[in-house]
Amino acid sequence: MGNQMIKKANAFEILNHWLLAGSFFILTITGFGFLFHLQQVVAIFGSANTMKVWHNYAGIVFSISLFFTIFNYLPVSLKFGVDDMGWITKAGGYFSKKAAIPPQDIINAGQKLYYLFILFAGIAIAASGFFIWLRPQVADIRKWVLLSHLVHNIAFDLFMIAVPLHIYLGTLANPGTLRIMITGTVPVEWAKKRHAKWVQKMGY
Amino acid sequence: MAKKALLISPELCIGCRGCQTACKAWNQLPAIKTANRGSAENPPDLTPNLYNRIRYVEMPSESNQVRWLFVSQRCMHCDDAGCIKICPAPGALFKTKEGATAYDKDKCIGCKLCVAACPFDVPRYDEKDKISKCHLCSDRIAEGLAPACAKTCPTGAIRYGDRDSLIQMAKKTGYAKVYGETDLNGLGTLYAFKDSPKIYGMDEHPAIPETVVFWHKVLKPLAYLGLGGAVAASLLHYVAFGPKKDEEVK
Ligand code: SF4
Ligand code: SF4
Ligand code: SF4
């Protein structure tokens, strides 16, 4: 009984997560290469021109992958109730081991907010990126490009803050979490402590 | 090396456009087909094949019914250049030792951000999406020659030389202010204007777009600071509070 496992993420969700993460990684290092003219990074790609091709096409993968995350996370993230507020006021128990956290859905309130942030900032960075790349024929194109450039870089800065925290919370801070994005399964007992509402709904 | 510059005196210009032609000849730029717009000004705008053009401004007044101003329009070779600031490709846009804003088409990645960041709307891009604009004949001036436009100009409306001497000369000739002396840390294309710059179609106070300055001063450092800060905060949390061990989670 104690070793019973429960499926928390299916193969599609896992694959899509790593596509998003992989394209994000390429976008970030090429982005830093462009921002700071990092010759070592340019050298990896051979030339700034090839680096741009990597950046742009990784942007396509990122955008498609971001779109598919909607089906996995958006509906539940929009359901933000009393228990979610409880999680927030107790900061998820990250600053006090004694904090009693209300029962959570398949993803907790922090994960919901993180997802909404990724979706919002992801749409902003993708839309502004495509605008600069495709340069649609509009009046005042120079103003729109500058606005896109601004949005692209603000979103980038936000990603630089949020993603390391996400990686930390998904690995070091919460032992046993990373496997959800590898095998997709976790022990029922482990899930009960963290996603009680969902485990109950699943009939355990 | 002393900074070089062009000094343009619209009042001396007769609108012959020899400079437009000389520029094309030196830079091997093809002619452009244009349509009659009912104006002697031609072509109507800078293009990837037109680095320098004479803008015709009609300024009739009570005393002078046929006042025409001929203003050479081209890259201003800003010392603090918006195009260079925003360019993401190492070595695509750069300052030469003479102070010209030159470029290397092979290194340009065709993002066209420079087009948006230039305070003077100068850069254009060619059919291969590469930047194209006046480079102060950087190949000529490196050999001690004058740029093709200045060399051709028959009236002295476009003069080339040491920047400081040109400014002094203009001031001695009676121009209290030289356009571009201090703007953007000093332009490499200076103008001796008799009237307010606006009349000649130039911005009174040209500046790099605010979003570009904000990006350069705040957003760029924040990319590193944000990343470093988030990693540091994570490590700090790990040390101070530790992981959520399964046996501790209620
Ligand atoms: S300096 Fe050279 S490139 Fe620039 S406008 Fe004159 S001739 Fe053309
Ligand atoms: S005028 Fe425009 S293109 Fe020329 S140096 Fe200044 S910012 Fe760059
Ligand atoms: S179009 Fe070329 S020169 Fe202009 S900003 Fe982009 S890479 Fe730089």
Side-chain angles (χ1 to χ4, degrees), chain A residues 34-37 49 52 92 94-95 97-98 135 142 149 153 157 161 168 172-175 190 193-194, chain B residues 87-88 106 108-109 115 118 121 125 215 219-220 222-223 227 230 234 237-238 241 243-244 246 248-250:
Chain A
F34 286 131
L35 260 187
F36 298 99
H37 289 190
N49 273 294
K52 176 195 169 185
Y94 282 105
F95 298 103
K97 303 237 154 158
K98 278 174 251 136
R135 220 181 153 80
R142 297 169 71 231
H149 179 255
N153 280 277
D157 283 0
I161 297 167
Y168 170 63
L172 279 183
N174 290 291
W190 185 95
K193 295 182 187 175
R194 293 164 174 84
Chain B
C87 178
D106 288 338
C108 169
I109 61 169
V115 175
C118 168
D121 189 13
Y125 48 94
W215 162 76
L219 296 180
K220 269 172 78 171
L222 211 60
L227 179 63
S234 300
H237 178 270
Y238 191 77
F241 296 96
K244 277 194 182 178
D246 198 36
E248 291 169 4
V249 181
K250 284 179 274 136

Side-chain angles (χ1 to χ4, degrees), chain B residues 106-182:
Chain B
D106 288 338
K107 294 201 171 131
C108 169
I109 61 169
C111 69
K112 299 155 199 156
L113 288 174
C114 54
V115 175
C118 168
F120 301 96
D121 189 13
V122 166
R124 300 289 185 266
Y125 48 94
D126 62 20
E127 67 290 345
K128 287 189 183 127
D129 282 352
K130 306 282 184 173
I131 184 177
S132 203
K133 68 168 191 71
C134 165
H135 45 83
L136 200 59
C137 285
S138 46
D139 44 353
R140 290 177 61 89
I141 62 177
E143 300 298 325
L145 299 169
C149 50
K151 171 126 177 102
T152 301
C153 181
T155 67
I158 304 177
R159 282 204 187 85
Y160 171 78
D162 283 345
R163 191 168 180 276
D164 292 339
S165 335
L166 287 173
I167 292 172
Q168 266 175 14
M169 191 184 80
K171 287 195 168 159
K172 254 189 235 142
T173 333
Y175 292 93
K177 262 173 60 186
V178 175
Y179 185 87
E181 188 178 351
T182 55

